[in-house]
């Protein structure tokens, strides 16, 4: 192409990051949320470093056109590897009302859109008037992933990508509390499914008994939303539930959705990558900046932390872990791990 004098478009030249909740989703044969990283195996990596592809492009282009005499840019300086202990844990289910005042719905649950929620999570809570073994049915399914709890104990997960709408459960007593935590995992980017609804998408029944009277918590998980909903400082995500918790030293390895908090020291800020071995699924914030989501399903294993997110001295890390971790520790590394390159 270059020999013929044709134009060449490089896609992508500089990789990027879907920070926060900005990732979208594909939907070819099934719903497929996009990972947090948008490194894309680009010539310049997610952190701006020249990749082997950059040098290959430069070598080929130099055969056909002038290139600058100066050397290629050097990789950015990286933070020394650091372990971070997360010593405080606060349950999400127990403190949901601190993050968002519930919206009371007397009949069937409403969608996230009806709650005014663009991204994040919605917690739906009701009581079940019967007991025994039976099947919970979610008419229309869920958008996009729902964790189900009975009296605070996890009983199952429903996922949109698997077209799941029913879950067998045991209700220990009449009047048991049913919690359904639904995650919006990203809107479809193209085609007829743009604008697909999120949350609980229809009536919920237990063995044919309609479950009504829902408290719906719109959990935006951003500082502005928390500050609007609670009389507390929300400069950093997670500060509201930590400030209100009666026992900030809850066991950090208990299962269930929870905020985990830790601090680490930085002498001079530099780029780094957050590695979460042993953690399952959730969101990460450093100094109130929402890095994005992680999932041990992969392929991505680290989250990019840009140097400007850090500050000299003490830095705060908050994780919202939706399930459980094998140990309350994470690592800041100098090398990204984005999994295998997709052919």
């Amino acid at each position: 192409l270059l020999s013929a004098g044709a134009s060449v478009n490089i896609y992508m030249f500089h990789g990027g990051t879907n920070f926060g909740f900005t990732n979208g989703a594909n939907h070819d044969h099934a719903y497929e949320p996009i990972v947090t990283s948008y490194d894309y195996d680009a010539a310049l990596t997610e952190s701006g470093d020249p990749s082997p592809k950059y040098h290959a492009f430069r070598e080929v282009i130099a055969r056909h056109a002038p290139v600058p005499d100066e050397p290629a840019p050097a990789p950015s300086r990286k933070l020394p590897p650091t372990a971070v202990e997360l010593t405080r844990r606060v349950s999400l289910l127990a403190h949901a009302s601190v993050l968002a005042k519930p919206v009371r719905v007397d009949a069937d649950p409403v969608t996230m859109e009806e709650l005014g929620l663009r991204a994040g999570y919605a917690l739906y809570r009701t009581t079940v008037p019967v007991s025994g073994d039976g099947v919970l049915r979610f008419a229309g399914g869920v958008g996009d992933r729902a964790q189900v709890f009975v009296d605070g104990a996890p009983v199952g997960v429903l996922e949109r990508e698997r077209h799941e709408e029913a879950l067998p459960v045991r209700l220990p007593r009449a009047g048991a509390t049913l919690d359904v935590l639904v995650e919006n995992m990203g809107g479809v980017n193209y085609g007829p499914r743009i604008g697909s609804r999120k949350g609980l998408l229809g009536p919920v029944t237990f063995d044919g008994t309609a479950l009504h009277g829902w408290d719906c918590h719109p959990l935006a998980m951003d500082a502005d939303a928390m500050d609007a909903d609670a009389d507390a400082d929300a400069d950093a995500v997670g500060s509201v539930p930590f400030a209100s918790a009666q026992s900030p030293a809850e066991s950090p390895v208990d299962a269930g959705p929870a905020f985990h908090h830790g601090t680490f020291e930085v002498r001079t800020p530099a780029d780094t990558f957050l590695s979460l071995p042993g953690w399952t699924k959730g969101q990460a914030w450093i100094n109130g900046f929402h890095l994005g989501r992680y999932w041990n399903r992969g392929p991505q294993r680290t989250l990019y932390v840009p140097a400007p997110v850090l500050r000299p001295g003490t830095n705060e890390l908050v994780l919202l872990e939706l399930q459980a971790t094998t140990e309350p520790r994470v690592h800041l590394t100098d090398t990204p791990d984005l999994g295998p390159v997709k052919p």
Side-chain angles (χ1 to χ4, degrees), residues 86 236-239 242 258-262 274 283-289 291 294 316-321:
L86 292 101
V237 173
S239 63
F242 279 108
F259 293 96
H260 298 255
H261 177 274
L274 178 64
Q283 308 285 336
W285 293 262
I286 286 184
N287 296 330
F289 180 82
L291 297 176
Y294 63 88
E316 289 189 283
L317 170 66
V318 172
L319 299 181
L320 170 59
E321 169 59 49

Side-chain angles (χ1 to χ4, degrees), residues 22-185:
T22 60
N23 71 286
N26 297 321
H27 201 302
D28 294 324
H29 302 292
Y31 176 77
E32 185 180 30
I34 294 170
V35 297
T36 296
S37 173
Y38 206 75
D39 180 88
Y40 223 87
D41 191 33
L44 293 180
T45 69
E46 182 177 16
S47 57
D49 296 342
S51 71
K53 188 175 288 185
Y54 175 93
H55 297 286
F57 278 137
R58 183 183 175 100
E59 190 271 329
V60 171
I61 292 170
R63 301 176 199 166
H64 305 275
V67 298
D69 292 332
E70 56 265 19
S76 66
R77 193 175 62 84
K78 302 299 188 294
L79 202 68
T82 303
V84 183
E85 303 288 338
L86 292 101
T87 56
R88 302 174 68 196
R89 178 189 182 277
V90 171
S91 166
L92 170 63
L93 297 183
H95 297 89
S97 296
V98 178
L99 289 169
K101 294 177 182 177
V103 176
R104 181 69 178 180
V105 178
D106 292 331
D108 297 323
V110 295
T111 65
M112 288 188 178
E113 289 76 14
E114 291 172 292
L115 292 171
L117 198 57
R118 184 192 62 81
Y121 301 80
L123 176 64
Y124 300 86
R125 176 171 290 164
T126 190
T127 56
V128 185
V130 295
S131 63
D133 296 334
V135 176
L136 274 174
R137 298 185 185 277
F138 296 82
V142 300
D144 299 301
R145 182 177 186 268
Q147 294 174 253
V148 183
F149 306 84
V150 173
D151 285 341
V155 296
V157 176
L158 300 168
E159 294 186 351
R160 170 183 173 182
E161 58 192 284
R162 297 177 180 174
H163 308 286
E164 295 171 324
E165 297 186 8
L167 184 69
V169 299
R170 169 169 291 179
L171 298 175
R173 60 187 179 86
T177 298
L178 174 69
D179 284 317
V180 185
L181 180 63
V182 185
E183 178 183 1
N184 175 348
M185 293 179 61

Side-chain angles (χ1 to χ4, degrees), residues 201-218:
L201 307 182
V204 180
T205 60
F206 177 73
D207 277 359
T209 299
L211 303 184
H212 292 155
W214 294 85
D215 286 329
C216 308
H217 299 77

